């Protein structure tokens, strides 16, 4: 199987080599964490002083490594003193007590450790304290639009953008092919069911399986809308489904832990503080979201575009919140060191009324940080309206902000 190097992640991983930090690749199943490791092997195996120890817990050859003592034994057997040892462990959370091993081997001379995991709780609580200050977490996402073009040998066009919005960015679709929608749907079904079973239902011993599946469909249908556990409970009661607020909160947190969904909190732009009530949900891969929601994209295209813009803002390195003004809402408040921006998302800016609505709230923000409206309006060239930059979606996905 051909390995296409994802330069963005290759550079981030390599930047942390030799700094004494455990490099942790996290993210949803099937977004390509394993291929980032395999690409690392290809890029570094020819170094004259390199000794690569690669443990893949998804391979049967490593089934016997169940705890950190067995992990220590395998690494000791393959460790070569005097060489630069690269220890790579894929799906490390399947090894009990793994943190004791990686903490110990981290202190060895000329040793770098890269691990992957599919659950955000992997580095929480006591474990985070045990490894505090000793690891760098890198969130691996599904393919960006430009990566999608490279993987599928496409050129930037409206047709290519439509395929990306419809099928999403799981890397394995390259081998399946996106021309056969039936096979794509079967693959997405398998990925979704694996995430639900292994990372959510089995991990948390879920008994009310029909409800949790109904809930994830509800989340897929309401991306970009403000929701709270109370509002979801009220909606479920209207559908003759009785469930408690705590169960809704727990199940929603399980989706986030598995990186299936992302919870985006609200930020008071005037008060410059986070708001505790209500939040938005977006999916880690738009193809999975579309499979879960069902239907055709022409009926929910604005939701899809908003989700894709959110994911690309993360790819650009921003921390993203939902902006709250007294007069209304800003889709995204985006911050990273030394930079801040506001983003509003629309499908089409077809008339003056729509323009006033989408640009109006941005014009009310009393600061000079860059402000953008991103839309899929046809024939759009980058333009400026009352100090707000209007970008076409394809331009944003290829050039950024």
């Amino acid at each position: 199987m051909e390995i296409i190097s994802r330069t963005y992640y290759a550079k981030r991983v390599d930047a942390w080599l030799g700094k004494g930090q455990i490099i942790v690749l996290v993210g949803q199943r099937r977004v390509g964490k394993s291929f980032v490791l395999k690409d690392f092997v290809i890029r570094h195996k020819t170094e004259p002083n390199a000794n690569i120890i690669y443990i893949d817990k998804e391979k049967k050859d490593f089934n016997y490594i169940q705890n950190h003592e067995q992990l220590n034994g395998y690494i000791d057997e393959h460790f070569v003193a005097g060489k630069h040892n690269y220890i790579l462990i894929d799906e490390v959370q399947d090894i009990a007590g793994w943190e004791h091993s990686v903490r110990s081997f981290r202190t060895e001379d000329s040793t770098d450790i890269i691990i992957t995991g599919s659950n955000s709780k992997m580095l929480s609580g006591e474990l985070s304290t045990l490894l505090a200050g000793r690891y760098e977490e890198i969130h691996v996402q599904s393919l960006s639009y430009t990566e999608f073009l490279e993987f599928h040998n496409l050129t930037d066009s409206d047709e290519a953008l439509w395929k990306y919005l419809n099928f999403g960015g799981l890397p394995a679709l390259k081998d399946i092919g996106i021309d056969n929608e039936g096979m794509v749907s079967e693959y997405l079904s398998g990925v979704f069911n694996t995430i639900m079973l292994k990372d959510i239902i089995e991990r948390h011993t879920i008994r009310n399986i029909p409800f949790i599946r109904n809930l994830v469909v509800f989340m897929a249908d309401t991306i970009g809308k403000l929701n709270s556990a109370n509002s979801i409970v009220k909606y479920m009661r209207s559908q003759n489904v009785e469930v408690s607020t705590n169960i809704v909160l727990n199940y929603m947190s399980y989706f986030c832990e598995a990186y299936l969904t992302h919870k985006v909190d609200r930020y008071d732009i005037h008060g410059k503080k986070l708001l505790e009530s209500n939040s938005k949900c977006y999916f880690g891969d738009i193809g999975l979201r579309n499979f879960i929601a069902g239907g055709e994209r022409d009926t929910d295209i604005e939701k899809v575009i908003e989700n894709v813009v959110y994911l690309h803002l993360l790819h650009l390195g921003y921390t993203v919140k939902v902006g709250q003004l007294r007069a209304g809402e800003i889709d995204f408040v985006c911050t990273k060191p030394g930079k801040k921006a506001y983003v509003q998302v629309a499908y089409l800016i077809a008339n003056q009324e729509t323009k006033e609505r989408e640009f109006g709230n941005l014009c009310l923000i009393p600061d000079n940080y860059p402000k953008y409206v991103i839309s899929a309006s046809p024939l759009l060239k980058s333009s400026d309206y009352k100090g707000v930059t209007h970008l076409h979606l394809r331009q944003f996905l290829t050039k950024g902000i």
Side-chain angles (χ1 to χ4, degrees):
M1 185 179 295
E2 180 188 5
I3 303 293
I4 297 177
S5 181
R6 298 178 70 180
T7 306
Y8 174 79
Y9 296 108
K11 288 181 177 178
R12 290 191 65 187
V13 169
D14 286 0
W16 283 100
L17 296 177
K19 292 181 170 57
Q21 295 291 91
I22 302 162
I23 302 169
V24 185
L25 306 178
V26 298
Q28 177 195 286
R29 284 181 186 266
R30 301 296 179 261
V31 292
K33 300 185 298 296
S34 299
F35 283 90
V36 173
L37 288 187
K38 291 173 183 176
D39 175 58
F40 181 91
V41 173
I42 292 170
R43 291 185 296 105
H44 290 273
K45 67 181 180 181
T46 56
E47 295 173 3
N49 202 39
N51 180 52
I52 297 176
I53 304 169
Y54 190 0
I55 299 164
D56 184 353
K57 279 298 293 175
E58 291 201 333
K59 296 284 182 63
K60 66 179 185 303
D61 293 347
F62 298 99
N63 282 346
Y64 74 92
I65 301 179
Q66 297 292 324
N67 55 54
H68 71 278
E69 288 93 352
Q70 293 163 334
L71 178 60
N72 287 343
Y74 183 88
I75 296 175
D76 282 333
E77 181 182 348
H78 294 83
F79 196 92
V80 179
K83 287 205 167 190
H84 193 127
N85 289 277
Y86 296 108
I87 302 172
L88 281 55
I89 312 174
D90 202 2
E91 297 298 342
V92 73
Q93 76 272 1
D94 293 338
I95 302 173
W98 61 266
E99 62 276 10
H100 300 288
S101 296
V102 299
R103 185 177 68 160
S104 175
F105 282 104
R106 184 193 69 86
T107 62
E108 295 289 339
D109 292 336
S110 298
T111 299
D112 280 293
I113 301 173
I114 310 173
I115 61 178
T116 78
S118 302
N119 193 282
S120 66
K121 289 293 186 181
M122 190 175 76
L123 293 169
S124 65
E126 293 180 3
L127 179 54
S128 181
T129 301
L130 185 66
L131 299 179
R134 302 183 179 94
Y135 68 91
E136 175 63 24
E137 184 175 297
I138 298 173
H139 181 193
V140 180
Q141 297 176 250
S142 59
L143 301 179
S144 68
Y145 176 59
T146 54
E147 289 177 322
F148 177 84
L149 296 177
E150 179 184 7
F151 270 58
H152 295 282
N153 195 27
L154 299 171
T155 56
D156 179 27
S157 65
D158 287 343
E159 182 181 1
L161 177 62
W162 178 255
K163 290 179 178 179
Y164 182 64
L165 296 176
N166 198 31
F167 301 128
L170 294 186
L173 290 178
K174 172 186 179 298
D175 300 305
I176 293 168
I178 53 176
D179 294 326
N180 189 322
E181 293 194 28
M183 292 183 68
V184 170
S185 180
E186 288 179 22
Y187 174 73
L188 293 175
S189 174
V191 173
F192 170 63
N193 287 325
T194 300
I195 293 170
M196 289 294 290
L197 180 62
K198 291 185 175 296
D199 297 329
I200 298 173
I201 293 170
E202 288 183 355
R203 181 179 176 85
H204 298 285
T205 320
I206 303 297
R207 298 180 184 276
N208 193 350
I209 295 175
F211 173 72
I212 199 169
R213 288 188 174 273
N214 286 339
L215 179 60
V216 76
V217 171
F218 175 84
M219 303 306 291
D221 190 52
T222 57
I223 54 173
K225 292 185 178 180
L226 289 172
N227 272 317
S228 67
N230 286 332
S231 66
I232 293 172
V233 167
K234 289 179 182 177
Y235 170 78
M236 291 299 174
R237 284 175 180 166
S238 74
Q239 305 298 306
N240 298 316
V241 177
E242 287 294 328
V243 66
S244 72
T245 301
N246 283 340
I247 286 179
V248 170
L249 286 171
N250 287 338
Y251 287 6
M252 290 171 66
S253 73
Y254 301 157
F255 298 151
C256 292
E257 286 175 18
Y259 297 98
L260 181 64
T261 65
H262 297 206
K263 177 176 176 285
V264 184
D265 294 320
R266 290 191 303 152
Y267 176 78
D268 182 347
I269 294 173
H270 289 298
K272 297 182 179 180
K273 63 181 180 181
L274 286 175
L275 300 172
E276 294 183 0
S277 61
N278 297 344
S279 60
K280 288 188 177 184
C281 167
Y282 297 99
F283 276 70
D285 178 73
I286 197 61
L288 276 179
R289 178 268 161 191
N290 294 340
F291 169 77
I292 296 166
E296 300 295 331
R297 300 289 68 77
D298 56 354
T299 61
D300 60 8
I301 189 62
E302 190 150 3
K303 298 178 186 178
V304 171
I305 291 173
E306 188 173 326
N307 200 135
V308 166
V309 169
Y310 165 77
L311 292 175
H312 195 62
L313 287 168
L314 294 186
H315 181 77
L316 293 174
Y318 286 100
T319 298
V320 182
K321 304 296 180 187
V322 175
Q324 187 67 49
L325 290 165
R326 296 185 186 94
E329 180 186 288
I330 303 299
D331 286 332
F332 301 122
V333 179
C334 319
T335 57
K336 62 182 176 180
K339 196 167 184 180
K340 183 175 184 178
Y342 302 97
V343 172
Q344 197 80 342
V345 183
Y347 174 33
L348 298 175
I349 306 295
N351 52 48
Q352 188 63 29
E353 180 183 352
T354 306
K355 179 178 281 191
E356 291 290 344
R357 183 180 68 247
E358 298 298 343
F359 286 76
N361 284 344
L362 289 171
C363 294
L364 296 175
I365 301 174
D367 63 37
N368 294 318
Y369 291 109
K371 303 172 180 68
Y372 301 91
V373 169
I374 298 169
S375 80
S377 298
L379 305 179
L380 172 67
K381 300 291 184 181
S382 180
S383 61
D384 185 89
Y385 178 77
K386 295 184 179 181
V388 178
T389 302
H390 189 185
L391 293 178
H392 191 278
L393 178 61
R394 280 170 51 199
Q395 182 180 357
F396 166 69
L397 293 176
T398 53
K399 308 288 186 184
I401 55 174

